[in-house]
Amino acid sequence: MESSSAPTEIAAPPVPPEEIKAIPVRHPGRWVACAIVLLLAATLVHSVATNPRFGWDVVGHYFFSSRVLHGLVVTLELTAISMAIGITLGVVLAVMRLSPNPLVSGSSWLYIWFFRGTPVLVQLLFWSFISALYPRVSLGIPCGGPELVHGNANAVITPFVAAILGLGLNEGAYMAEIVRAGIISVEEGQTDAAQALGMTRLQTLRHIVLPQAMRVIIPPTGNETISMLKTSSLVSTIALADLLYSVQLIYSVNFKTIPLLIVAALWYLFFTTLLSIGQYYIERYYARGAARELPPTAIQKMRTLMSRRAGF
């Protein structure tokens, strides 16, 4: 009997899969839109730079003028002092609004209702004419008690003080709602845990609630600060020599209205930009516990982009 063995089949080597090439999706519409935007921007820049009616030589002459710089200092002082009053008053009003005492919470609500319901310009004018209602201002024990401080209303309530009162008291009403929103954003369990540890209401607010509420409070507070810088220009209506009123006094004499308004606008833009940068870093600081990774800063983004282009 002959034994026959079947031929052994040799498996063919596996065929390597074809390499997949990723082809990015083309967006011709984006390039067209980008070209249109660049064209319009270049046209606008060329028009502004070459139009002699803008008076860029006058802008350069008065940009660092002593009168303009003095008005700029007044504007910055108004912004800083008014925001300090507004933030302090806002925290107090927010705590009062959340009080279980109906008289305390009701008085806070009444204050917020009044100062948010009337225009800030009207309030500025009211404080500038306060001497028509109270020619004499005094501070002491009410209901016939002794006076500690007294004086003529026109001497005490100067235009600068009237501007501070109008801007600061009005800002306090808005900051109260911002702080209240931040406080109620913190979970009630945090307060319950603090009370279980024997902490008082003030200690709980200071050490537990407000640090966590800052993440919610900071962004609108930064917006309010930027808005206050620009809203302070309304004090020109009560003849306070801020930045806007200073340039108004200058162009009322030389009739260079547009160039001097550009001077004021450039200074407002400069400090608004600084405040925006500061707001970004403060928000980033208080967002440390809310996100695993903080968003990169502008400098970090530039470094990453440069390293990619360099091939590192």
Side-chain angles (χ1 to χ4, degrees):
M1 181 176 180
E2 296 181 359
S3 60
S4 62
S5 59
T8 305
E9 295 182 359
I10 301 175
V15 180
E18 296 183 1
E19 185 179 355
I20 300 176
K21 295 182 180 180
I23 301 176
V25 180
R26 303 183 184 279
H27 300 279
R30 295 182 182 179
W31 291 102
V32 173
C34 183
I36 294 175
V37 170
L38 290 177
L39 179 61
L40 292 176
T43 303
L44 179 62
V45 171
H46 180 268
S47 174
V48 172
T50 57
N51 190 343
R53 294 182 179 86
F54 279 93
W56 293 110
D57 55 337
V58 180
V59 173
H61 176 73
Y62 284 102
F63 195 75
F64 293 104
S65 171
S66 59
R67 298 173 66 182
V68 173
L69 293 179
H70 177 268
L72 178 63
V73 171
V74 173
T75 295
L76 296 178
E77 289 176 349
L78 285 175
T79 303
I81 298 174
S82 300
M83 284 305 302
I85 294 174
I87 293 173
T88 305
L89 191 58
V91 173
V92 175
L93 289 170
V95 175
M96 291 174 60
R97 183 78 183 275
L98 297 173
S99 173
N101 189 322
L103 181 61
V104 174
S105 60
S107 59
S108 174
W109 177 88
L110 186 64
Y111 180 97
I112 296 171
W113 167 78
F114 178 79
F115 281 93
R116 286 203 309 170
T118 54
V120 63
L121 180 58
V122 175
Q123 296 175 30
L124 287 170
L125 293 173
F126 177 84
W127 284 110
S128 65
F129 293 111
I130 193 65
S131 61
L133 294 176
Y134 298 98
R136 189 169 176 273
V137 178
S138 62
L139 179 63
I141 300 176
C143 301
E147 297 180 353
L148 302 178
V149 180
H150 60 86
N152 184 275
N154 288 325
V156 175
I157 310 297
T158 61
F160 186 82
V161 175
I164 291 296
L165 290 172
L167 296 174
L169 296 180
N170 179 268
E171 185 61 33
Y174 289 93
M175 284 303 305
E177 292 299 284
I178 292 173
V179 175
R180 186 175 70 90
I183 291 175
I184 63 178
S185 68
V186 180
E187 295 181 359
E188 294 183 2
Q190 301 283 336
T191 304
D192 296 337
Q195 292 176 353
L197 293 174
M199 298 179 68
T200 63
R201 179 181 174 86
L202 183 60
Q203 289 175 337
T204 303
L205 180 67
R206 178 182 176 185
H207 298 288
I208 304 298
V209 177
L210 281 181
Q212 297 182 69
M214 291 300 290
R215 184 171 56 88
V216 178
I217 295 174
I218 288 297
T221 302
N223 294 337
E224 287 294 316
T225 305
I226 294 173
S227 178
M228 177 63 70
L229 177 68
K230 297 177 291 184
T231 305
S232 64
S233 61
L234 294 176
V235 302
S236 60
T237 58
I238 60 175
L240 180 61
D242 70 321
L243 177 59
L244 179 60
Y245 193 69
S246 297
V247 300
Q248 286 177 334
L249 291 177
I250 297 175
Y251 72 61
S252 64
V253 176
N254 60 12
F255 304 104
K256 304 291 184 180
T257 305
I258 298 299
L260 284 161
L261 288 178
I262 292 176
V263 169
L266 290 176
W267 276 119
Y268 282 120
L269 282 172
F270 175 75
F271 281 98
T272 298
T273 304
L274 290 183
L275 290 174
S276 300
I277 295 173
Q279 176 186 354
Y280 171 78
Y281 281 99
I282 294 175
E283 289 181 14
R284 192 172 182 271
Y285 174 81
Y286 282 102
R288 290 178 300 174
R292 293 183 178 180
E293 294 184 3
L294 294 176
T297 62
I299 297 177
Q300 292 173 343
K301 291 180 181 178
M302 291 179 62
R303 288 176 178 174
T304 303
L305 182 61
M306 293 176 64
S307 62
R308 287 178 180 177
R309 290 186 175 181
F312 294 110

